[in-house]
Amino acid sequence: MKGIYDKVVDLATRRGFFWPSSRDIYAGAPAGFYVYGPLGLRMKEKIVSLWRRKIIIPEGVHEIETPNVLPLKVFEASGHLEHFFDKLVECRRCHSRFRVDKLIEEELGITENLEGLSDDSLLKLIYDNEIKCPKCGALNWTDIKKFNLMFTISVGAETDEPNAALRPETTQGSVVEFRKSFMVMRGKLPFALAQIGRVFRNEISPRRALIRMREFQQLEVHIFFDPEDPDEVYEDRLEPLLDYKLRFLRREDRETGKIVEMTAREGLETGYTINKLITYWLVIYQKFFNEALGFPLERLRYRELIEGEKAHYALAHWDLEIYTDDLGWVELVNNAYRTDYDLSGHMKVSGNDLSVQSNDGTRKVLPHLYEPSIGLDRVIFHELMVAYREDGERTWLQLPRYLAPVEVGVFPLLRRDGLPERAREIYNELIEKGFIAFYDESGSIGRRYRRMDEIGTPVCVTVDHQTLEDNTVTMRDRDTMKQIRVPITRLPEKISRFLNSNVPIEELID
RNA sequence: GCGGCCGUAGUCUAGCCUGGACAGGAUGCCGGCCCUCCAAGCCGGAGACCCGGGUUCAAAUCCCGGCGGCCGCACCA
């Protein structure tokens, strides 16, 4: 018996949501790169536009777009270079891996900087001091291997040495452009930027379809705020949400896996969620994933990261995770309080002052950064996982109606008696009204319904003989297979109401 | 990147051990027939041995290497 995961991957490939890049033609294409087919791309666009409509615009966030390629200097400042080029050795006996500098520092108790040393001197240090594998006690190390998790490139004709890299996160673009954006938009703190962008990580082992890729897409918001006054603006916005229950896996519940429900108020009062700004964003992201993207609350949690798991820049860090039986808990959103780590790094490396004026004009402020970062591809994959249904008879995707890549199927019941012509007219009308419609007259009517079910099309309109007599058509619901009959003139209005709500189809009857 | 298992049409699979003729089937897909509402039936069609090298008169089959997939470890900034 195959799991849902395999079925979703099959369905996605078969019906054109996504598939691995280049494989059909060039064997041996590297893993971790995916093509979005027409259906997947449309879903992606719908999710992006939902995020814009529900988060970016109402929250007054300024969306910008920065290049994928940035100079290495940027990543020196951000700390990525240091953390991306870890030097590791592996124990030949038990295959455990260790960072060379950590190993030496811990075993010899020295704290001096080992960064300047060559690989040979580091190895010599290990063998001279007979540093054994902390796990199995063997003294049999591999050569030092470098982990280069960024894609570095050489920009310009005369350069051989890498001088730039594909960005591993969109954040640095926003940080580097923060001050400029703040100025041109006549900003006040807190000041929020957003980016939709592709990012690149040379993962050691890309796996699980869209879950771990080497090129993927992030939807990030970067909120720069005055650490001495983070709450002013958020006081009012948070007020009506204070009783909203956030779901946390706290660090102390890690062992038991117990999820604690904590109202926004409790989070604030106990200091767990730090300040109003962060609390507010935790609330609206949980709400967005639950209410807009349609993930059930019981499948969602904020997992508090502990030391060692947290990114090098983060003071506090929660992953918004989703649960499926096949994949367990998977991170969808990385919510990090990065303090002024990034801005001060860029100040140091570039020598430029990146601080701005406080709102009352009395202080210079180096803002802190809070960043919720959505892994878009994982969201799409989980929409499919959570929506997948089968009952032995039928396979269908119970997607939120407004996220379905095809919104309405239009069919003639039979391919004669003028039914196809009438159906095409209706199809054209719906297209003109802005619906994503799909016309199909091949095979039997049942087969066409099933095909639409399989890609999650919420409603199908069928033209039959009665249509020719009284200008009514049937509307058929994907989830219940129930049908109602409506006048063609009312069709756009009915479909629109159906797509943008959860009402049962029967309620559309006048 | 390490270890284990694995790689035949979109998907599932027969053949591989024991080398031999156009690689067989199911489903899906495309065209047609039939058809008054949920993958019916009939006719026709396109579609595959992961890649490279080796052994051999002959390789889907045996050997080596690479790539990819799953699981575990590590990694996930």
Side-chain angles (χ1 to χ4, degrees), chain A residues 406-411 430 436-439 452 457 459-462:
Chain A
V406 174
E407 291 166 345
V408 51
V410 182
F411 314 136
L430 291 175
I436 302 172
F438 180 79
Y439 176 83
M452 288 294 101
T457 306
V459 62
C460 291
V461 169
T462 298

Side-chain angles (χ1 to χ4, degrees), chain A residues 262 264-275 278-279 316 318:
Chain A
M262 191 189 296
R265 180 178 285 111
E266 286 163 350
L268 265 181
E269 283 172 359
T270 58
Y272 182 72
T273 54
I274 302 178
N275 61 36
I278 291 175
T279 309
W318 294 270

Side-chain angles (χ1 to χ4, degrees), chain A residues 101-282:
Chain A
D101 51 348
K102 282 260 170 77
L103 186 67
I104 296 175
E105 280 169 20
E106 277 165 22
E107 295 298 312
L108 299 185
I110 50 172
T111 50
E112 62 192 271
N113 202 348
L114 296 166
E115 264 174 44
L117 297 179
S118 70
D119 291 359
D120 287 346
S121 354
L122 285 169
L123 264 186
K124 188 162 182 297
L125 213 51
I126 288 180
Y127 280 106
D128 285 355
N129 291 287
E130 295 190 7
I131 297 175
K132 293 177 182 138
C133 173
K135 221 173 190 174
C136 73
L139 182 59
N140 186 5
W141 299 102
T142 59
D143 284 347
I144 290 176
K145 298 173 185 176
K146 269 195 198 123
F147 270 80
N148 183 349
L149 297 182
M150 271 197 297
F151 291 102
T152 53
I153 52 179
S154 311
V155 178
E158 309 215 345
T159 320
D160 289 330
E161 281 292 297
N163 56 8
L166 297 177
R167 60 180 175 184
E169 59 174 22
T170 69
T171 316
Q172 295 314 316
S174 289
V175 172
V176 168
E177 306 303 334
F178 159 69
R179 200 157 182 278
K180 181 87 172 172
S181 307
F182 188 83
M183 297 298 182
V184 298
M185 298 310 291
R186 301 171 45 240
K188 290 262 191 256
L189 295 175
F191 181 77
L193 293 172
Q195 286 207 66
I196 297 171
R198 290 189 175 253
V199 298
F200 306 81
R201 300 179 186 182
N202 196 3
E203 295 286 353
I204 297 166
S205 58
R207 260 178 212 183
R208 289 182 166 168
L210 304 188
I211 302 299
R212 174 159 310 167
M213 300 196 287
R214 288 185 164 131
E215 175 179 353
F216 59 101
Q217 202 160 349
Q218 291 183 323
L219 305 182
E220 296 198 322
V221 179
H222 307 114
I223 306 139
F224 297 89
F225 63 94
D226 183 346
E228 289 177 38
D229 183 18
D231 291 347
E232 190 189 340
V233 180
Y234 287 95
E235 178 92 43
D236 293 344
R237 291 200 220 168
L238 190 56
E239 176 65 31
L241 299 171
L242 280 172
D243 292 320
Y244 185 81
K245 285 184 183 146
L246 289 162
R247 297 166 53 80
F248 288 106
L249 176 69
R250 298 175 305 178
R251 64 175 72 194
E252 60 264 39
D253 297 323
R254 194 58 80 80
E255 295 272 304
T256 62
K258 185 182 75 169
I259 293 170
V260 174
E261 291 202 333
M262 191 189 296
T263 62
R265 180 178 285 111
E266 286 163 350
L268 265 181
E269 283 172 359
T270 58
Y272 182 72
T273 54
I274 302 178
N275 61 36
K276 286 178 184 149
L277 181 150
I278 291 175
T279 309
Y280 177 76
W281 281 90
L282 288 172

